[in-house]
Amino acid sequence: MATAADPTGSLATALAHTARLLARDPTLAAEQAREILNVVPGHALALRLLGAALAGQGDSAGAIAALREATASAPREAEGFRLLAEQLSLAGDTAAADAAIAAMLKAAAASPQLIAAALALADNRLAVAEAGLRARLQAHPGDVAALRMLAEVAGRLGRYADAERLLVHALELAPAFTAARTNLAQVLHRLGKPGEALAELDRLAVHDPRNPTQRTLRAAVLARTGDTQASLELYAAVLAEFPQQPKAWLSCGHALKAVGRMADSIAAYRTALTQLPSLGEAWWSLANLKTLRFSADDIAAMQAALAAPGLATEDRYHLDFALGKAFEDAGNYTASFDHYAHGNALRRTELRYDADEVSAHVERSRALFTRDFFAARAGSGDPARDPIFIVGLPRAGSTLLEQILSSHSQVEGTSELSDILSLASRLGGKSGRGARSAYPEALASLDPVALAALGAEYLDRTRIQRHSAKPYFIDKMPNNFQHIGLIHLILPNAKIIDARRHPLGCGFSGFKQHFARGQGFTYSLDDIGRYYRDYVALLAHYDTMLPDRIHRVFYEAMVADPEAEIRALLAYCGLPFEAACLSFHSNDRAVRTPSSEQVRLPIYSGAVEHWQHYANYLAPLRTALGPVLDSYPAVPLDVM
């Protein structure tokens, strides 16, 4: 093997040999690097390799010295600064590590590939940005700036698990990369992992306790866990100190809405718009209050914002949804539908929702979860009776059911919890986009101990959402209908309630609703119809395989005879009747869903047939629903 001391060998060969030695023998790699430096003093790559080798030997001081020399020799090479930051962080020199990270990012920013990717990101050309960043990382796997940017692409596309993986890797390479850690906390929040998000924010607060971005994110996470008082106190403190933050005012408005402080919520949204009139999400948040009516001046302001050049796609579709609601309230259903349709079409372009994947999951679930399958695993799982799951489609009345049940003295309302979805995703073990998930078939290999452990894990993960000593709590994530088999196996005593609504009423209500995340099927009438059919088919299967396991509540029946439906609901849950459940609208608990204002009103029948105003536009939905529409509330035989 040629070395630097071998006159017949080349410098490049010697450097490559040293790099190969790093992984298996750092001591020999250090010797090789020193030989190169004897021949070529001050060679930046040789110094970097020496630093990495010394780090591998545990000689942090020697590694830092070598890497300082390497970065001084090659100030445009980002990798040297990354390695230096890592060693400084391990040595506890946080200030110097932060400076090294800043130098690394400055060096990386000079890369033509990163500049092009940044421009593509700014223009929301996500496919172009992703291709460029992947090419950059193929050539420079340790480029943490590229990893962070690629995580941003994944986040914008709703691929939060991918974003988490990329950011974790970036922080493994550069623990002092504060911006990446802030992004990781944001992604963990969006993934419904509040405990993990707060842990990252705690680490950040040690070095920058007044940072307004991190403090407002903490307030949002606290609101997600139901700790609304702490959340609102933190928002108030941050905004008093840093008032010019339109997105912080927006988030504060969400928290105020959740606790029913509607006037204060509206004021917060309006403050955000005073500071940033084009902030589409603030306009949509006002529309999403449901009972608020926009003025003519509001409509003109939204139309002006929508017509302005350079408006971001996210602001554009939020404004479309808000104008859809404004014209709906004004009785101009043609203009209303045009805006809803345009907003949905824009949002759909950002998502990689695949209706075929949902259909395939339903078929695989029906094949796996048979009577014999469940009988063979009877008695497995955690025996706790705490959870009450409300499943179905969004906008089907699940928040109403949650409000009714949480008005009972033994039941605590939480929110739409993502923990079952996370467990299912982990069991699936998908290696990447396009790969086949091992779920639900992976459940067949789990023994009773493993199933009980999963049930206990779910209870542990959701404990952060519980703020009382009440024996029961509600998880109203509607998408959990896809995971009833998993729920039954790991929590056999949990209650499962199916909230069902007329497919046109439910479908169109979802179409005119912009969801923050997790409901990719709602941005196309065809996708909605297919999803509803798959939902009906899967629930019909469970009704056959697990008779009487699921209690179904039809929204129309609840509206027609609330007391009879509420008594039946409480009986299924094993709860004694309490009159407070009939006056659920008096419950002042925080409600963190789009229906938060509506469930503070008595049941009304106006929403049942509201979709009929748009009947002429719903042909794609009708076609996709097929016999499910004609049979409602019964289930057609061809989906059984």
Side-chain angles (χ1 to χ4, degrees):
M1 179 73 69
T3 70
D6 179 356
T8 65
S10 69
L11 176 60
T13 301
L15 289 167
H17 177 50
T18 306
R20 286 193 296 270
L21 286 171
L22 269 177
R24 67 175 187 268
D25 193 338
T27 300
L28 195 54
E31 292 176 5
Q32 177 79 15
R34 288 191 176 101
E35 286 190 36
I36 296 171
L37 290 166
N38 285 334
V39 176
V40 191
H43 191 280
L45 179 54
L47 285 165
R48 198 168 78 209
L49 290 168
L50 176 60
L54 292 172
Q57 293 177 272
D59 182 1
S60 184
I64 289 171
L67 291 167
R68 284 193 186 282
E69 191 176 349
T71 53
S73 297
R76 294 185 179 182
E77 292 294 328
E79 179 64 9
F81 287 110
R82 182 190 70 76
L83 292 169
L84 177 59
E86 182 179 69
Q87 291 304 307
L88 290 167
S89 181
L90 290 171
D93 193 343
T94 304
D98 288 343
I101 286 290
M104 175 202 71
L105 294 174
K106 182 179 179 181
S111 158
Q113 284 176 303
L114 286 191
I115 292 171
L119 290 172
L121 268 175
D123 293 338
N124 210 41
R125 292 179 287 121
L126 301 183
V128 173
E130 182 173 14
L133 291 166
R134 290 196 182 280
R136 171 72 181 176
L137 287 166
Q138 188 170 10
H140 303 277
D143 188 337
V144 295
L147 285 167
R148 181 188 174 221
M149 290 172 69
L150 188 57
E152 182 177 345
V153 172
R156 289 197 197 179
L157 292 170
R159 291 165 14 208
Y160 296 117
D162 290 344
E164 179 187 12
R165 175 180 54 78
L166 290 163
L167 291 166
V168 167
H169 183 44
L171 289 165
E172 288 171 349
L173 295 172
F177 193 178
T178 301
R181 196 170 299 284
T182 303
N183 292 152
L184 177 59
Q186 292 167 334
V187 167
L188 290 168
H189 171 52
R190 289 174 179 170
L191 280 170
K193 299 180 177 180
E196 292 95 323
L198 289 171
E200 296 298 337
L201 289 168
D202 286 343
R203 295 181 67 175
L204 289 163
V206 170
H207 307 295
D208 192 5
R210 292 182 61 249
N211 185 289
T213 300
Q214 294 162 17
R215 289 162 71 196
T216 53
L217 177 57
R218 181 184 293 275
V221 176
L222 290 171
R224 181 77 175 266
T225 67
D227 195 351
T228 50
Q229 186 58 38
S231 171
L232 288 171
E233 289 173 1
L234 186 50
Y235 276 128
V238 175
L239 289 168
E241 194 173 356
F242 303 96
Q244 296 301 312
Q245 290 193 89
K247 291 196 174 181
W249 281 108
L250 175 68
S251 296
C252 182
H254 297 337
L256 290 163
K257 172 188 173 183
V259 296
R261 291 172 54 183
M262 291 305 157
D264 292 335
S265 174
I266 292 169
Y269 293 145
R270 296 284 187 188
T271 301
L273 288 168
T274 299
Q275 296 178 4
L276 186 59
S278 64
L279 184 55
E281 189 179 350
W283 286 112
W284 166 243
S285 297
L286 288 169
N288 206 23
L289 291 171
K290 307 304 181 189
T291 55
L292 180 138
R293 297 293 179 265
F294 285 117
S295 68
D297 288 342
D298 287 332
I299 293 174
M302 286 189 279
Q303 290 174 320
L306 196 58
L311 185 68
T313 300
E314 181 179 1
D315 291 316
R316 188 172 297 282
Y317 59 67
H318 275 116
L319 281 162
D320 269 320
F321 278 100
L323 282 165
K325 176 62 165 54
F327 285 118
E328 177 181 348
D329 291 339
N332 187 343
Y333 299 113
T334 298
S336 172
F337 186 82
D338 285 346
H339 280 289
Y340 283 141
H342 191 253
N344 274 286
L346 271 180
R347 184 71 175 106
R348 186 69 176 83
T349 63
E350 294 187 338
L351 301 173
R352 287 182 171 154
Y353 174 76
D354 186 348
D356 290 339
E357 280 190 11
V358 177
S359 298
H361 170 76
V362 168
E363 289 309 308
R364 291 166 63 188
S365 296
R366 292 171 71 178
L368 177 68
F369 296 123
T370 63
R371 285 192 184 90
D372 290 343
F373 183 92
F374 287 126
R377 292 159 179 80
S380 298
D382 190 294
R385 298 180 178 273
D386 305 32
I388 299 172
F389 293 93
I390 302 176
V391 304
L393 267 69
R395 312 300 297 153
S398 58
T399 305
L400 174 61
L401 296 183
E402 180 192 38
Q403 188 78 344
I404 290 167
L405 285 170
S406 64
S407 298
H408 197 281
S409 62
Q410 297 183 44
V411 182
E412 181 175 6
T414 59
S415 187
E416 297 176 356
L417 310 182
S418 61
D419 302 278
I420 289 293
L421 307 183
S422 296
L423 292 178
S425 177
R426 191 177 77 206
L427 289 166
K430 285 181 67 169
S431 57
R433 182 163 37 92
R436 180 180 170 88
S437 170
Y439 176 85
E441 291 84 1
L443 289 167
S445 64
L446 301 183
D447 61 21
V449 174
L451 292 172
L454 286 172
E457 181 183 348
Y458 169 83
L459 294 169
D460 185 60
R461 289 172 60 121
T462 54
R463 196 157 285 117
I464 193 172
Q465 302 285 349
R466 303 179 70 176
H467 302 282
S468 75
K470 295 180 180 180
Y472 303 103
F473 74 97
I474 300 167
D475 179 343
K476 65 173 289 288
M477 174 60 76
N479 312 60
N480 281 339
F481 82 81
Q482 298 183 46
H483 309 294
I484 286 174
L486 169 63
I487 292 170
H488 177 73
L489 291 171
I490 69 174
L491 294 160
N493 294 317
K495 298 298 183 182
I496 304 172
I497 300 160
D498 171 27
R500 189 166 299 190
R501 182 179 174 188
H502 189 283
L504 292 180
C506 183
F508 182 68
S509 186
F511 186 72
K512 67 178 189 174
Q513 177 73 43
H514 180 267
F515 295 92
R517 62 189 66 90
Q519 307 298 348
F521 73 95
T522 63
Y523 302 103
S524 155
L525 291 173
D526 179 71
D527 286 341
I528 293 170
R530 290 189 58 183
Y531 192 87
Y532 195 103
R533 284 186 68 171
D534 285 332
Y535 149 69
V536 169
L538 187 55
L539 270 291
H541 175 78
Y542 285 123
D543 286 344
T544 302
M545 299 301 132
L546 296 169
D548 302 319
R549 181 71 175 87
I550 302 164
H551 179 73
R552 185 158 297 116
V553 180
F554 291 97
Y555 178 75
E556 298 80 12
M558 177 64 76
V559 170
D561 192 350
E563 182 168 351
E565 292 296 322
I566 290 170
R567 286 184 179 276
L569 177 64
L570 294 175
Y572 164 76
C573 292
L575 296 167
F577 176 77
E578 291 183 0
C581 295
L582 294 177
S583 55
F584 60 87
H585 49 279
S586 301
N587 188 338
D588 61 359
R589 59 176 282 269
V591 182
R592 291 168 271 161
T593 59
S595 302
S596 62
E597 194 173 8
Q598 290 163 303
V599 296
R600 293 192 171 92
L601 301 171
I603 290 176
Y604 68 103
S605 60
V608 173
E609 305 296 340
H610 189 73
W611 62 268
Q612 292 182 355
H613 293 298
Y614 299 86
N616 292 336
Y617 307 104
L618 303 184
L621 177 57
R622 292 177 185 274
T623 300
L625 286 166
V628 167
L629 173 59
D630 298 330
S631 301
Y632 184 84
V635 176
L637 292 175
D638 65 349
V639 302
M640 298 293 282

